Amino acid sequence: MSENYHAMWAELGLDLDAHDQLLQILGNAYEQIYLAQKDRPESMSYFDFVMSEVHGLRIRELLDEKKAGRKIIGSYCVFVPEEIVLAANATLVGLCSGADFAMDEVEKILPRNTCALIKSSFGFKLGKVCPYLESADMIVGENTCDGKKKAYETLKGIADNVYVMDLPQVKSPAGRDLLRAEFYRFKDAMEAFTGSEITVESLADAVGVVNAKRQAVHRLSLLRGHDPAPVSGLDALLVNQVFFYDNPARFTESVNKICDELETRIQASKGVFPSGTPRIVVSGCPQAVPNWKLHHLVETSGAVIVGEESCVGERGTRNLTNAGGSSVDDLMEAVIDRYFKIDCAVFTPNPDRLEHIEEMVKNYNADGVIHYGLQFCQPYLMESIPVEKALEGRKIPVLRVETDYGSEDTGQLKTRIEAFIEQLR
Amino acid sequence: MSENYHAMWAELGLDLDAHDQLLQILGNAYEQIYLAQKDRPESMSYFDFVMSEVHGLRIRELLDEKKAGRKIIGSYCVFVPEEIVLAANATLVGLCSGADFAMDEVEKILPRNTCALIKSSFGFKLGKVCPYLESADMIVGENTCDGKKKAYETLKGIADNVYVMDLPQVKSPAGRDLLRAEFYRFKDAMEAFTGSEITVESLADAVGVVNAKRQAVHRLSLLRGHDPAPVSGLDALLVNQVFFYDNPARFTESVNKICDELETRIQASKGVFPSGTPRIVVSGCPQAVPNWKLHHLVETSGAVIVGEESCVGERGTRNLTNAGGSSVDDLMEAVIDRYFKIDCAVFTPNPDRLEHIEEMVKNYNADGVIHYGLQFCQPYLMESIPVEKALEGRKIPVLRVETDYGSEDTGQLKTRIEAFIEQLR
């Protein structure tokens, strides 16, 4: 950190000793995993800076926004519509859920057999080490999987102002009606909470801001399709992770700057790995900061990751919102349309996801797919088997991985990943 | 079996050798667990007969119904409304899901970390040992938990005519709208499938039949409140299990006959265990035939089970349907009202369940609660922790048990159960 933020963290109620330890571990991991990479794009330096200030400068900015009367809304899912939050003059941030913390405390209130992501979100709260969570004026949960749905009931007992959005399970007209009703309920809740009415201007502006952010990531995704890959999967994953909490306009500008640099690289046939390096699409559960485990294992085993079919990746960023509406209702319908397309495994059936994986394999010239499942994540683990069968039926090699945030299985995983990559050569 | 049914089973496509083995195991278990009990009510002999003919006479009856043009509808959940099935001149039967079978085959298409109930339902299909499933003309699944919801996608690939009913996750007006839409869709599907229009007469009649069945079970439940307990938990559990597949009118008559006998016993202060035996309510996941593990362990460890807060128990049987409607729509609304009250852990929040557990403890003079969770059943395992906390806050002792259909943990479970019972004395 470029500054001493201890007073700020103390004011947020963080456990300073535990938090210092967390930052130390995070900093070491970043150095060993990110800074150890070769031939990184120079413009990744912005993201290095963001990470070095992940609990510092960005939190100060959020606190400054709060002082100026703006509300901070925290979320754990790509179903929470940033467009509506921004249009109500509030800021949306993704909350910490990518590392194990205070697991002894967590397992007193959640079953041990709960996925790492949910346990982590509770660990950051109970361990008092997530300044985003402590800065948030409202936490917006969502009824996606059973684990999260039931966990939010418990979260209400340990965190303030938890709002839960219901979600459909089927992409039927009734399912869309439910999503519409819930997005309007959320709009009303945001307006009431911020005191800012959502107008056609504010919503159109918000749609424009979020579309621009997604477009920048789409541009980056397409550039990753080139061989040699102009950027590592690790660096692209980081961009997708920072998507959730950076200032949107600055993020968009920074991603476009990377894209400019990658275009120059591509013209010069310059890459981060040699041409012909086996190329992999990762599909499955989200990977929140600092969950860099799979990407690190793959990219230190002789392959490059060229796309993430994940909530932290294209499942979260694909599809823009039609910005052409001339009324709040028009724009709301466009927002609902856009979010109703999200191909999360909580939907039954969920055929769009399989199509999207195949499309990614084709567009990014991938040689195979690694299905990344978090242990005890029923929707993705259940879906991984038919996805594997379908892809294999189309001659796309697949490796199914089931893991958590621990390091106990690293050796075994590396062996399996190396064998899979060998098969792709 | 009183007759040789091999030709019938062969015609249904069962694996005769495997099925013979299954029946052998089932018969032995029934002898050792049920017939070994002392002082059973004489009228339980009907249920002994039912169990001795579980894959025999009842299947022949169903096949006779089919020959006469009636459709057989299979289901795995108390959310599938028997009233609508009966009103369309069809028969509803619960499908096998209470024992491990063909697990090697199952784990090729479902994750190992799936609950025993779901894996069992697939095992009976893949192992070709469930004559109910093979007799069913349609299987009605339902979007309750993530596990079942996603498993039905896979079931469609191995079983014919799987229909899936969507369900709400929240008891809001929108949630009730969804249930209403789905029950009407199911009504249309039943009418189309059977060719029988549901009329006010047929629906009123069906409501009467199912209400009578539930009323008989309510009567039995109340009688279990007496000390000494006039019937074992095991026998009452069996009644609740047979509820799902017996002929409704005959079942009702048989349960009322048991109740008559129990009333005589109560007047004579006669019980199956001595007065003062610790009394336990079991709450949590359903126990399908032949899952008698927990009840057997408890009742051979010095306590008696006096109620099941479970889908195979009061969660499935409580609440009658208002039979007073004078139009199909009136009666449909009454059916929807009744099913919308089911306090399954897939709902968020689910406060009615806690109230119901407390009510059962009070009404049946229980000394404690055992929360029965199937391993990997996220909704009930998640909910078990707040339920335990709330009950303990009201000075009701609770033991949380997490198990599967295997016998590996029997010794350890028995030790824990004995210690818990000791605490209740």
Side-chain angles (χ1 to χ4, degrees):
Chain A
M1 301 277 163
S2 56
E3 221 189 294
N4 190 323
Y5 294 106
H6 278 86
M8 175 179 83
W9 294 328
E11 209 165 313
L12 283 172
L14 297 196
D15 177 333
L16 294 183
D17 287 345
H19 187 246
D20 280 350
Q21 278 174 36
L22 176 76
L23 289 186
Q24 180 79 43
I25 294 167
L26 186 64
N28 289 345
Y30 195 77
E31 202 176 313
Q32 286 160 24
I33 294 173
Y34 274 86
L35 303 182
Q37 296 178 98
K38 284 177 191 160
D39 300 322
R40 297 175 72 211
E42 275 176 34
S43 35
M44 277 305 295
S45 59
Y46 170 71
F47 289 89
D48 293 341
F49 175 70
V50 164
M51 283 307 296
S52 73
E53 287 285 339
V54 63
H55 284 191
L57 189 58
R58 183 64 185 137
I59 297 298
R60 173 139 298 159
E61 288 178 350
L62 294 178
L63 295 178
D64 287 346
E65 289 186 16
K66 279 162 75 93
K67 266 185 213 143
R70 199 172 162 98
K71 299 290 186 190
I72 307 300
I73 310 298
S75 100
Y76 292 106
C77 180
V78 297
F79 266 106
V80 179
E82 186 169 9
E83 292 85 344
I84 294 175
V85 174
L86 289 177
N89 196 34
T91 295
L92 186 70
V93 284
L95 301 178
C96 309
S97 58
D100 286 341
F101 214 87
M103 281 300 122
D104 289 351
E105 291 304 305
V106 172
E107 292 181 1
K108 284 179 194 160
I109 59 174
L110 290 180
R112 199 179 53 80
N113 289 355
T114 303
C115 86
L117 193 112
I118 296 173
K119 283 164 95 168
S120 170
S121 63
F122 274 59
F124 274 98
K125 178 65 197 173
L126 294 171
K128 298 177 187 164
V129 289
C130 176
Y132 291 92
L133 184 56
E134 305 308 333
S135 306
D137 298 298
M138 181 192 267
I139 299 170
V140 182
E142 74 318 306
N143 293 339
T144 42
C145 60
D146 287 339
K148 286 174 93 180
K149 177 170 82 176
K150 299 302 285 183
Y152 290 127
E153 296 175 23
T154 300
L155 189 65
K156 283 181 178 175
I158 58 171
D160 294 333
N161 209 12
V162 177
Y163 173 103
V164 179
M165 182 182 284
D166 195 23
L167 288 181
Q169 311 187 71
V170 175
K171 292 202 171 167
S172 59
R176 195 181 179 287
D177 285 349
L178 179 64
L179 188 68
R180 181 198 286 115
E182 284 296 294
F183 272 25
Y184 270 96
R185 186 171 72 91
F186 183 59
K187 171 180 170 286
D188 292 347
M190 279 293 103
E191 288 178 330
F193 190 58
T194 61
S196 289
E197 200 196 339
I198 292 179
T199 61
V200 64
E201 291 77 21
S202 75
L203 189 51
D205 189 48
V207 166
V209 167
V210 182
N211 273 350
K213 185 162 107 154
R214 291 205 178 99
Q215 263 171 322
V217 176
H218 296 179
R219 189 179 161 207
L220 176 65
S221 298
L222 284 175
L223 296 174
R224 293 169 74 190
H226 287 269
D227 182 35
V231 64
S232 68
L234 269 169
D235 278 333
L237 173 63
L238 187 66
V239 169
N240 277 287
Q241 290 173 330
V242 171
F243 178 92
F244 286 87
Y245 58 87
D246 198 6
N247 171 284
R250 186 175 56 206
F251 173 84
T252 303
E253 192 192 326
S254 306
V255 177
N256 279 320
K257 210 172 138 199
I258 296 180
C259 293
D260 294 342
E261 184 181 348
L262 297 192
E263 282 171 357
T264 312
R265 282 190 165 205
I266 289 163
Q267 285 188 334
S269 287
K270 186 178 168 191
V272 284
F273 295 99
S275 180
T277 297
R279 302 164 66 87
I280 290 170
V281 162
V282 169
S283 170
C285 292
Q287 292 153 303
V289 170
N291 178 13
W292 303 310
K293 182 173 166 176
L294 181 69
H295 278 57
H296 180 54
L297 280 172
V298 170
E299 297 198 332
T300 53
S301 299
V304 57
I305 292 174
V306 295
E308 293 79 24
E309 190 284 311
S310 160
C311 307
V312 182
E314 291 199 15
R315 194 183 309 123
T317 58
R318 72 195 285 231
N319 300 319
L320 300 180
T321 301
N322 183 343
S326 55
S327 69
V328 169
D329 284 340
D330 278 357
L331 288 165
M332 282 293 290
E333 289 300 325
V335 168
I336 294 158
D337 277 340
R338 191 257 156 208
Y339 284 82
F340 197 52
K341 286 186 197 139
I342 297 175
D343 48 2
C344 174
V346 300
F347 285 99
T348 182
N350 189 32
D352 292 352
R353 181 173 165 228
L354 180 61
E355 269 178 42
H356 184 219
I357 300 170
E358 289 181 61
E359 192 184 297
M360 287 178 72
V361 168
K362 196 177 152 207
N363 290 350
Y364 308 145
N365 302 302
D367 304 297
V369 171
I370 294 182
H371 192 286
Y372 174 77
L374 281 174
Q375 211 184 1
F376 310 122
C377 169
Q378 284 186 330
Y380 282 97
L381 294 179
M382 298 287 274
E383 202 164 280
S384 70
I385 299 175
V387 161
E388 178 186 44
K389 282 213 175 92
L391 293 176
E392 285 181 346
R394 287 155 211 187
K395 309 286 177 211
I396 300 169
V398 182
L399 175 69
R400 273 196 295 135
V401 157
E402 185 177 334
T403 185
D404 56 19
Y405 291 174
S407 54
E408 292 78 7
D409 62 350
T410 309
Q412 195 206 9
L413 271 182
K414 193 163 169 66
T415 306
R416 290 184 62 212
I417 288 167
E418 283 171 350
F420 180 66
I421 292 171
E422 217 34 64
Q423 188 189 325
L424 304 180
R425 281 181 202 281
Chain B
M1 303 274 162
S2 57
E3 222 190 292
N4 190 322
Y5 294 106
H6 278 88
M8 174 178 83
W9 294 328
E11 209 165 312
L12 282 172
L14 296 197
D15 177 334
L16 293 182
D17 286 345
H19 186 246
D20 280 350
Q21 277 175 35
L22 177 75
L23 289 185
Q24 181 79 43
I25 294 168
L26 186 63
N28 290 345
Y30 195 76
E31 202 177 311
Q32 286 160 23
I33 294 173
Y34 274 87
L35 303 182
Q37 296 178 96
K38 284 176 192 160
D39 299 322
R40 296 176 74 213
E42 277 177 31
S43 37
M44 278 304 297
S45 60
Y46 170 71
F47 288 90
D48 293 342
F49 175 71
V50 164
M51 283 307 297
S52 73
E53 287 284 342
V54 63
H55 283 189
L57 190 59
R58 183 65 186 136
I59 297 298
R60 173 139 298 159
E61 288 178 352
L62 295 178
L63 295 178
D64 287 346
E65 290 187 15
K66 280 163 75 93
K67 266 184 213 144
R70 199 172 161 96
K71 299 291 186 190
I72 307 301
I73 311 298
S75 100
Y76 292 107
C77 181
V78 297
F79 266 107
V80 180
E82 186 169 11
E83 292 85 345
I84 294 175
V85 174
L86 290 177
N89 196 34
T91 294
L92 186 70
V93 285
L95 301 177
C96 309
S97 57
D100 287 340
F101 214 88
M103 282 300 121
D104 288 351
E105 291 304 305
V106 172
E107 291 180 1
K108 284 179 194 158
I109 59 173
L110 289 181
R112 200 180 51 79
N113 290 354
T114 304
C115 86
L117 194 114
I118 297 172
K119 282 164 96 167
S120 169
S121 63
F122 274 59
F124 275 96
K125 178 65 197 173
L126 294 171
K128 299 179 187 163
V129 289
C130 177
Y132 291 92
L133 183 57
E134 303 309 331
S135 306
D137 299 298
M138 180 193 268
I139 299 170
V140 182
E142 72 320 304
N143 294 338
T144 42
C145 60
D146 288 338
K148 286 173 94 181
K149 177 171 81 176
K150 298 304 283 184
Y152 290 127
E153 296 175 22
T154 300
L155 189 66
K156 285 182 176 173
I158 58 172
D160 293 333
N161 209 12
V162 177
Y163 173 101
V164 179
M165 181 182 285
D166 196 23
L167 287 180
Q169 312 188 71
V170 175
K171 293 202 171 166
S172 59
R176 195 181 179 289
D177 286 348
L178 179 63
L179 188 68
R180 183 199 285 115
E182 284 296 293
F183 272 25
Y184 270 95
R185 185 170 72 91
F186 182 59
K187 172 180 168 286
D188 293 346
M190 280 294 103
E191 289 179 328
F193 190 57
T194 61
S196 289
E197 199 196 338
I198 293 179
T199 62
V200 64
E201 292 78 20
S202 74
L203 189 51
D205 189 49
V207 166
V209 167
V210 182
N211 274 349
K213 185 162 106 155
R214 291 205 178 101
Q215 263 171 322
V217 176
H218 296 180
R219 190 180 159 204
L220 176 65
S221 298
L222 284 175
L223 296 175
R224 295 170 74 190
H226 287 269
D227 182 37
V231 64
S232 68
L234 268 169
D235 278 334
L237 173 63
L238 186 66
V239 170
N240 277 288
Q241 289 173 331
V242 171
F243 177 93
F244 286 88
Y245 57 87
D246 198 5
N247 171 283
R250 185 174 59 205
F251 173 84
T252 302
E253 193 192 325
S254 308
V255 177
N256 278 320
K257 211 173 137 199
I258 296 180
C259 293
D260 294 341
E261 185 182 347
L262 297 192
E263 281 170 359
T264 311
R265 283 191 164 203
I266 289 163
Q267 285 187 334
S269 287
K270 188 180 167 189
V272 284
F273 295 100
S275 179
T277 297
R279 302 165 66 86
I280 289 169
V281 162
V282 169
S283 171
C285 292
Q287 292 152 303
V289 170
N291 178 12
W292 303 311
K293 181 173 167 178
L294 180 70
H295 279 56
H296 180 54
L297 281 172
V298 169
E299 297 197 333
T300 52
S301 300
V304 57
I305 291 174
V306 295
E308 293 78 25
E309 190 285 312
S310 159
C311 308
V312 182
E314 292 199 14
R315 194 182 309 124
T317 58
R318 74 195 286 232
N319 301 318
L320 301 179
T321 301
N322 183 344
S326 56
S327 69
V328 169
D329 283 340
D330 279 356
L331 288 165
M332 281 293 290
E333 288 300 324
V335 169
I336 294 157
D337 276 341
R338 192 256 156 211
Y339 283 82
F340 197 52
K341 286 186 195 137
I342 297 175
D343 48 1
C344 174
V346 300
F347 285 99
T348 181
N350 189 32
D352 292 353
R353 184 175 163 226
L354 181 61
E355 269 178 41
H356 184 221
I357 300 171
E358 289 181 64
E359 192 183 298
M360 288 178 71
V361 168
K362 197 177 152 207
N363 291 349
Y364 308 145
N365 302 301
D367 304 298
V369 171
I370 295 183
H371 192 285
Y372 175 77
L374 282 174
Q375 211 183 2
F376 311 122
C377 168
Q378 284 186 329
Y380 282 97
L381 293 179
M382 298 287 273
E383 202 163 281
S384 71
I385 300 174
V387 161
E388 178 186 46
K389 283 216 174 91
L391 292 177
E392 285 183 345
R394 287 153 212 189
K395 310 285 177 210
I396 301 169
V398 182
L399 175 69
R400 273 196 293 136
V401 157
E402 186 178 333
T403 185
D404 56 20
Y405 290 173
S407 55
E408 293 78 6
D409 61 350
T410 309
Q412 194 207 9
L413 271 182
K414 194 165 168 63
T415 307
R416 290 183 62 211
I417 288 167
E418 283 171 350
F420 180 66
I421 293 171
E422 219 31 66
Q423 188 190 326
L424 303 182
R425 283 182 202 280

